[in-house]
Amino acid sequence: MVMRSLCLRWLPNFITIGRLVLTPAAIDMIVGDHWRAAFAIFVLAGASDALDGWLAKTFDLRTELGAVLDPVADKALIVSIYATLAIKGVLPAWLALLVISRDVMIVGAVFVSWLLARPMDLRPLPVSKATTAAQLLLAAIVLAGEAFAISLHGVDSLLMAAVAALTVASASVYLWRWVKLMGPDDVGA
């Protein structure tokens, strides 16, 4: 009974680890031009993100590991997919660089704040959630377009603009919070 309870408690983390494992598989499928398999794996990874979050919140299965692992898995999936799609010429390089730069900036800020014993609040902001959702949606639509030879009739361009705007907005908010956190202490105030 205890083992079953422990497995249930860790189920969201196991699902998140599964998403980490799916990331290289999706990249391999893109590199090999197996677009339908890449799309299927990406959709499965995206569904796993929704499922692990729902399980953790609904059944109060949140863990410290999950709080760290989930955003790492999201970033690994998004950064890998955007970089690979840009290398394949399916997404513009500037957009991939923007998405990747934002995530590198956030990880760097978290690391520096941790080194300086001023840890950042890691709860995702609404703009960050919207950014991640838009980035995942764009990747799914681009992969579906490649997988099923669907003409996107400008939808992809509109989504690229939305992803770029949200990515810049999210990066700006995180940068502002980090600069504020790293600012001088109010000593003697």
Side-chain angles (χ1 to χ4, degrees), residues 24-57:
I27 301 311
D28 186 50
M29 293 299 108
I30 293 170
V31 169
D33 292 323
H34 304 291
W35 294 102
R36 287 185 183 189
F39 175 72
I41 292 168
F42 184 79
V43 168
L44 182 61
S48 78
D49 187 24
L51 178 61
D52 67 21
W54 179 79
L55 285 170
K57 289 176 188 150

Side-chain angles (χ1 to χ4, degrees), residues 70-109:
D70 188 64
V72 167
D74 290 344
K75 291 186 184 327
L77 179 65
I78 289 170
V79 165
S80 299
I81 291 288
Y82 272 73
T84 307
L85 290 174
I87 289 167
K88 293 290 283 183
V90 179
L91 274 179
W94 66 265
L95 184 60
L97 286 170
L98 184 64
V99 168
I100 293 165
S101 296
R102 170 195 170 260
D103 285 347
V104 168
M105 182 204 72
I106 290 170
V107 169

Side-chain angles (χ1 to χ4, degrees), residues 99-144:
V99 168
I100 293 165
S101 296
R102 170 195 170 260
D103 285 347
V104 168
M105 182 204 72
I106 290 170
V107 169
V110 167
F111 182 69
V112 168
S113 66
W114 176 76
L115 281 176
L116 297 175
R118 292 182 174 192
M120 289 182 69
D121 181 3
L122 295 178
R123 284 176 288 167
L125 304 170
V127 70
S128 178
K129 288 183 177 188
T131 302
T132 300
Q135 290 171 347
L136 290 171
L137 179 62
L138 175 60
I141 286 176
V142 167
L143 286 169

Side-chain angles (χ1 to χ4, degrees), residues 10 12-20 49 52 63-76:
W10 282 83
N13 292 343
F14 290 136
I15 293 169
T16 301
I17 291 166
R19 187 163 67 256
L20 279 168
D49 187 24
D52 67 21
T63 64
E64 280 187 60
L65 177 62
V68 173
L69 202 55
D70 188 64
V72 167
D74 290 344
K75 291 186 184 327

